[in-house]
């Protein structure tokens, strides 16, 4: 199968490309810059075997040309600006217009399915029984109440995909991910990387000091699980019975749980976490669990990386990709 991945060199996209290529599928990448630093292993193995198209996903003509040239069976649409609220115009252009461009190109070229990487942020703040301290898992039927502009762009994209599904016959499938962590997130996403900081700083011999957040719990997903979920949504024969799937563990962990997993993998890790909620200082309380039983039933997917397995894999990937920071004092 041939799969076009927009944003294929990103923190999440690189693992999706690795997963699909590792299964023997043809992969084409559409990116806004040719930065393969998160795919050094795959670049060395496959080199030019993975076609790379450079351009902005919001450029409808460019996207149409890419899709027309490569004729993919499936498009995995991952390109997005996370900090959309910091600069709203390009944020909306990439996140919303980009989705429209992908859908239109897919319809015109006869693509069978678009898999869209959405987020649990479409549900907005998780309060009441779904928030602290109960964290009752959220199902896909929960009303979408976006808070930030990024959330709004995700809901808009889901709605645009829904219109293409109804009006133009395009199979558009949204995956709503829990909080994701993985190699490269600290380097690429900075302030959105509390979980990555807790792994990478101790690996470099540096202390971790978090003033708050020890009482918070969250559904935290490792990038390798993201990759298998996207692959399942892209490759499962269709049509799929639902157009949206939660992707998470269906349970929560605390920062103390993560600290314990880090200490097991990095002896002597110096981590101190203060009490309270909202360790990432977000404008809404997104912390909570995602009921992913629908993905298990329809896609045969479930998370395979608990913290005890994810942290050692993360550290090994940092070392393998040359992303591990030098130890403090060197």
């Amino acid at each position: 199968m041939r799969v076009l991945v927009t944003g294929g060199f990103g923190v999440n996209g690189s693992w999706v490309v690795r997963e699909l290529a590792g299964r023997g599928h043809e992969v084409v990448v559409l990116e806004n810059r040719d930065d393969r630093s998160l795919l050094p292993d795959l670049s060395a193995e496959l080199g030019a075997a993975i076609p790379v198209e450079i351009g902005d996903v919001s450029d409808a003509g460019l996207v149409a040309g890419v899709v027309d040239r490569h004729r993919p069976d499936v498009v995995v649409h991952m390109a997005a600006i996370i900090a959309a609220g910091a600069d709203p115009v390009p944020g909306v252009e990439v996140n919303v217009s980009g989705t429209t461009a992908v859908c239109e190109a897919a319809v015109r070229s006869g693509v069978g399915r678009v898999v869209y990487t959405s987020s649990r942020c479409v549900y907005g703040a998780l309060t009441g029984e779904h928030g602290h301290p109960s964290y009752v898992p959220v199902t896909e039927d929960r009303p979408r109440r976006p808070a930030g502009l990024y959330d709004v762009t995700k809901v808009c994209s889901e709605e645009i995909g829904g219109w293409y599904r109804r009006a133009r016959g395009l199979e558009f499938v949204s995956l709503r991910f829990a909080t994701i962590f993985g190699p490269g997130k600290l380097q690429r996403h900075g302030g959105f990387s509390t979980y990555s900081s807790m792994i990478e700083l101790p690996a470099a011999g540096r202390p971790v000091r978090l003033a708050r957040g020890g009482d918070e719990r969250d559904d935290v997903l490792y990038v390798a699980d993201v990759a298998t979920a996207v692959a399942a949504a892209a490759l499962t024969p269709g049509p799929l019975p639902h157009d949206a799937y939660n992707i998470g563990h269906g349970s929560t962990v605390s920062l103390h749980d993560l600290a314990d997993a880090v200490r097991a993998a990095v002896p002597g890790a110096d981590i101190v976490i203060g009490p309270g909620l909202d360790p990432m200082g977000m404008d809404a309380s997104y912390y909570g669990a995602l009921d992913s039983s629908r993905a298990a039933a329809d896609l045969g997917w479930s998370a395979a990386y608990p913290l005890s397995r994810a942290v050692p894999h993360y550290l090994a990937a940092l070392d393998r990709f040359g992303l591990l920071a030098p130890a403090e004092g060197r």
Side-chain angles (χ1 to χ4, degrees):
M1 183 176 288
R2 182 175 299 149
V3 184
L4 170 64
V5 182
T6 74
F9 291 157
V11 176
N12 303 325
S14 59
W15 287 90
V16 170
V17 169
R18 185 179 287 111
E19 179 72 22
L20 292 169
R23 296 189 188 193
H25 297 281
E26 297 179 59
V27 181
V28 180
V29 171
L30 171 59
E31 262 288 0
N32 65 349
R33 65 185 186 279
D34 194 354
D35 178 0
R36 310 186 193 198
S37 59
L38 300 182
L39 275 169
D41 52 335
L42 203 59
S43 298
E45 291 176 15
L46 297 178
I50 295 183
V52 178
E53 299 274 3
I54 303 300
D56 193 320
V57 74
S58 65
D59 184 336
L62 181 143
V63 173
V66 170
V67 173
D68 190 55
R69 279 193 298 278
H70 295 282
R71 296 285 172 172
D73 301 292
V74 177
V75 176
V76 173
H77 180 36
M78 307 187 74
I81 294 177
I82 293 178
D87 200 350
V89 172
V92 171
E93 286 178 347
V94 170
N95 294 6
V96 180
S97 297
T99 300
T100 309
V102 166
C103 289
E104 184 65 18
V107 167
R108 290 180 179 275
S109 294
V111 173
R113 180 181 298 167
V114 170
V115 176
Y116 174 63
T117 52
S118 188
S119 167
R120 57 103 172 270
C121 72
V122 299
Y123 300 122
L126 299 181
T127 58
E129 67 176 5
H130 299 298
H132 176 81
S134 302
Y135 301 106
V136 174
V138 173
T139 69
E140 292 87 350
D141 296 327
R142 178 179 171 83
R144 294 170 298 170
R145 297 190 179 98
L149 183 60
Y150 178 73
D151 317 358
V152 171
T153 66
K154 288 297 182 182
V155 172
C156 285
S157 289
E158 288 192 3
E159 287 297 304
I160 288 166
W163 180 84
Y164 271 94
R165 187 184 187 106
R166 296 187 303 273
R168 306 288 290 278
L170 175 66
E171 187 176 18
F172 186 94
V173 180
S174 298
L175 303 182
R176 298 170 180 167
F177 290 100
T179 299
I180 301 170
F181 73 106
K185 195 168 182 70
L186 182 61
Q187 293 81 359
R188 298 279 183 92
H189 297 168
F192 296 94
S193 307
T194 299
Y195 301 97
S196 291
S197 297
M198 286 183 60
I199 298 169
E200 297 194 31
L201 293 181
R206 301 171 185 172
V208 174
R209 297 289 184 267
L210 295 176
R212 66 181 186 189
D215 299 314
E216 191 71 85
R217 300 183 67 85
D218 198 11
D219 197 335
V220 183
L221 194 67
Y222 185 51
V223 285
D225 281 326
V226 172
T228 57
V230 171
L235 305 176
T236 298
L240 296 175
H242 296 96
D243 59 4
Y245 293 90
N246 285 340
I247 303 295
H249 287 270
S251 58
T252 60
V253 296
S254 71
L255 293 183
H256 293 296
D257 295 327
L258 176 56
D260 288 342
V262 173
R263 293 186 187 104
V266 184
D270 182 6
I271 305 172
V272 177
I273 305 164
L277 304 176
D278 192 17
M280 290 190 284
M282 297 188 290
D283 56 358
S285 180
Y286 299 99
Y287 309 94
L290 294 184
D291 183 331
S292 301
S293 55
R294 178 185 288 183
D298 293 356
L299 307 178
W301 179 88
S302 61
Y305 283 84
L307 293 178
S308 60
R309 186 183 181 200
V311 170
H313 190 282
Y314 188 125
L315 292 168
L318 286 176
D319 185 50
R320 193 165 75 249
F321 302 161
L323 296 174
L324 190 62
E328 190 173 39
R330 292 186 180 178

